[in-house]
Amino acid sequence: MSTAGVLSRPVETVPEEVVLPAVLPWRRRIMKHPRLMQSHRLALYVLLSNGVVFAWGLGNHWWAEVTNVALIAQVNFALGILIRQQFFVNALSRVVMQVPKSWPLRLRWALAKGYHLGGLHVGGAVCGTLWFLGLTVVAIGQVGLGLQSVYYGQSLLLLAIVMTSRPSFRTKHHDLFERVHRFGGWGLSALFWIGAVLLVSERRGAESLPAAIAGTPTVWVLALTTISSLVPWMLLRRIPIEVTSPSSHVALVKARQSRPMAGSTRSISRHPLKQWHSFAVIPTPGAPGFRMAISRAGDWTSEFIDNPPTHVWVRGVATAGMANYGTVFNRVVYVVTGSGIGPVLAHILASRVPSKLVWVTRDPVKTYGQEIVDEIVAAQPDALIWDTDQHGKPDMVKLTYSAYESSAAEAVICVSNKKLTWSVVHGMERLGIPALGPIWDS
């Protein structure tokens, strides 16, 4: 199919001429602000809940006992880890995707924010760290020197992980963040087990060590989180791939292994102990396997495009992406820029929900290749493909609203860079329009 007519046609609406409706009253839009998004509120709820538990424990001196502090710390870490477990994420996504579209829009809008549960990961990790620092202090004089030394080592590792996980640091020093997070996490897991066994051994009295371990709640919580963390690595494997580069900006990856759920993401690496990066997987119509679009956005992606590998490592299973939650709506507008087409293309090809595509990018054929563009046009002939080489950069909020209004959609799903995504999502929600977008919380 030729795309020349589609790509050269006049744009449907000049954004400068679009008039946005009045914003919601401040009482209704205050909770729509990016700083008060659901993931941030969930993290705050975890902090407040822990504050209530802390106040309760002070009243009856519950925190004077080391085992009690250790238990509440591990419960928080379990929350932070389990909420990120791939199978849990996929199960949650599938549950939300089954929600009847006849339910009230406000309820479906709330359920569509299920991917914000990552805020529990942040809250659990931060609170677990705070409790463990408290445990290290409470344990002074109550435990042996060996166990106290283990606690000191754990505290240092926890502080290193938390400090390097800050968004600003993670953005500037991603490689260091990843190494500290991975190897520090493995070291912590080992120290947690050593510390748990030593604590049980010191307090078991006449009971045998195996029986005392089996009867300790903290050990069971630790076992659950350890298994959850190990599962993805137990599914580690190396798969062959084919890489083509329609331009110096992007590499298209094809793998013939498995057929992941449409709209999922998959982490890949050139070396299992080095950098891992997640990309949207695009099922290949009528064939097994999947594809990925990898855009030049840093050292790792540049090296991948310039020197493509023949194999990559994958671990765990493909994980449901944010846009899967958009299937609770009767009709949506996908607003994407550049390689954001990757996560959205899978949904367009799957046709799970009626949609309208707005794709803003540099010359799409030259950048991403004729094959991808043909697939998009074949799946959605009325797609609005805005070539920035011809038309310049549009006002994305106005362009989004124009597409939303003209297509009679219920919601907007935006996939772009962080600044533009939050601008569009916030710009729509302050008008009372449901909007979803990546939240960069991990």
Side-chain angles (χ1 to χ4, degrees):
M1 174 184 290
S2 174
T3 61
V6 175
L7 298 183
S8 62
R9 71 185 182 197
V11 294
E12 298 176 356
T13 307
V14 179
E16 288 72 15
E17 297 176 356
V18 175
V19 178
L20 298 177
V23 299
L24 295 172
W26 72 269
R27 293 181 183 83
R28 290 185 57 193
R29 73 174 186 268
I30 188 171
M31 300 304 287
K32 309 299 183 185
H33 194 278
R35 292 189 181 278
L36 294 175
M37 69 173 64
Q38 285 83 346
S39 61
H40 293 172
R41 299 206 300 267
L42 286 171
L44 179 60
Y45 295 156
V46 174
L47 286 167
L48 293 176
S49 298
N50 275 270
V52 171
V53 172
F54 176 72
W56 170 82
L58 284 179
N60 56 23
H61 305 289
W62 207 63
W63 306 129
E65 174 52 48
V66 173
T67 55
N68 295 336
V69 185
L71 174 59
I72 197 67
Q74 284 299 336
V75 167
N76 274 280
F77 285 131
L79 172 65
I81 292 172
L82 295 177
I83 207 70
R84 285 292 198 208
Q85 220 290 326
Q86 294 173 329
F87 290 101
F88 172 81
V89 172
N90 287 343
L92 175 66
S93 173
R94 291 184 185 279
V95 168
V96 174
M97 289 167 65
Q98 299 303 315
V99 168
K101 292 182 174 61
S102 59
W103 285 13
L105 177 60
R106 187 175 294 274
L107 177 57
R108 287 182 284 128
W109 185 356
L111 292 172
K113 297 291 187 175
Y115 64 96
H116 280 260
L117 283 180
L120 299 179
H121 166 77
V122 176
V126 170
C127 289
T129 299
L130 293 175
W131 279 112
F132 204 88
L133 294 177
L135 170 64
T136 304
V137 175
V138 171
I140 297 175
Q142 292 194 45
V143 302
L145 180 60
L147 180 54
Q148 189 71 54
S149 298
V150 171
Y151 286 163
Y152 287 144
Q154 288 173 302
S155 295
L156 290 174
L157 278 176
L158 284 168
L159 288 173
I161 291 175
V162 169
M163 295 303 293
T164 56
S165 295
R166 290 176 297 119
S168 58
F169 186 96
R170 197 167 64 225
T171 300
K172 296 178 181 178
H173 310 283
H174 179 81
D175 294 351
L176 177 59
F177 152 74
E178 188 174 335
R179 287 195 293 269
V180 171
H181 212 72
R182 178 178 305 117
F183 297 113
W186 290 351
L188 272 175
S189 185
L191 289 175
F192 276 140
W193 276 106
I194 293 171
V197 171
L198 287 176
L199 182 60
V200 170
S201 178
E202 289 187 4
R203 282 165 163 66
R204 64 189 174 92
E207 191 176 18
S208 68
L209 183 58
I213 290 175
T216 303
T218 302
V219 172
W220 287 102
V221 176
L222 181 56
L224 180 62
T225 56
T226 301
I227 292 172
S228 175
S229 300
L230 284 176
V231 167
W233 291 97
M234 293 172 65
L235 299 175
L236 179 71
R237 59 195 184 278
R238 187 169 179 257
I239 63 171
I241 59 171
E242 300 174 12
V243 182
T244 58
S245 295
S247 71
S248 61
H249 176 70
V250 66
L252 301 179
V253 178
K254 292 184 180 181
R256 302 188 184 279
Q257 303 293 317
S258 72
R259 186 176 175 83
M261 176 178 65
S264 56
T265 62
R266 160 82 68 189
S267 291
I268 63 172
S269 177
R270 301 182 73 142
H271 189 286
L273 297 181
K274 294 184 179 180
Q275 296 183 58
W276 285 84
H277 294 265
S278 292
F279 300 96
V281 297
I282 309 167
T284 303
F290 60 89
R291 295 166 293 169
M292 293 178 172
I294 299 178
S295 296
R296 191 181 297 272
D299 294 341
W300 191 90
T301 52
S302 296
E303 175 66 18
F304 194 100
I305 295 170
D306 296 335
N307 299 291
T310 58
H311 293 72
V312 293
W313 290 88
V314 295
R315 69 182 186 207
V317 295
T319 308
M322 169 274 303
N324 284 59
Y325 291 85
T327 57
V328 302
F329 301 108
N330 286 294
R331 187 174 181 84
V332 301
V333 173
Y334 293 115
V335 178
V336 301
T337 62
S339 57
I341 192 63
V344 166
L345 180 56
H347 292 280
I348 293 174
L349 297 178
S351 299
R352 284 182 179 150
V353 58
S355 63
K356 164 79 173 182
L357 172 65
V358 176
W359 184 22
V360 177
T361 182
R362 294 183 294 180
D363 189 324
V365 172
K366 181 179 179 181
T367 306
Y368 296 93
Q370 190 72 48
E371 180 183 352
I372 291 291
V373 176
D374 283 348
E375 281 189 48
I376 294 171
V377 175
Q380 195 168 114
D382 66 340
L384 172 55
I385 303 176
W386 184 297
D387 185 345
T388 56
D389 286 349
Q390 293 187 30
H391 305 292
K393 294 182 179 180
D395 182 317
M396 290 299 295
V397 173
K398 288 186 176 181
L399 185 64
T400 299
Y401 179 74
S402 174
Y404 164 82
E405 186 180 48
S406 63
S407 63
E410 281 191 324
V412 168
I413 298 176
C414 180
V415 183
S416 183
N417 59 61
K418 186 174 182 178
K419 181 179 180 180
L420 196 149
T421 296
W422 285 6
S423 173
V424 170
V425 171
H426 179 50
M428 292 299 102
E429 295 206 325
R430 68 200 300 264
L431 301 177
I433 300 171
L436 312 179
I439 54 177
W440 290 274
D441 62 337
S442 63

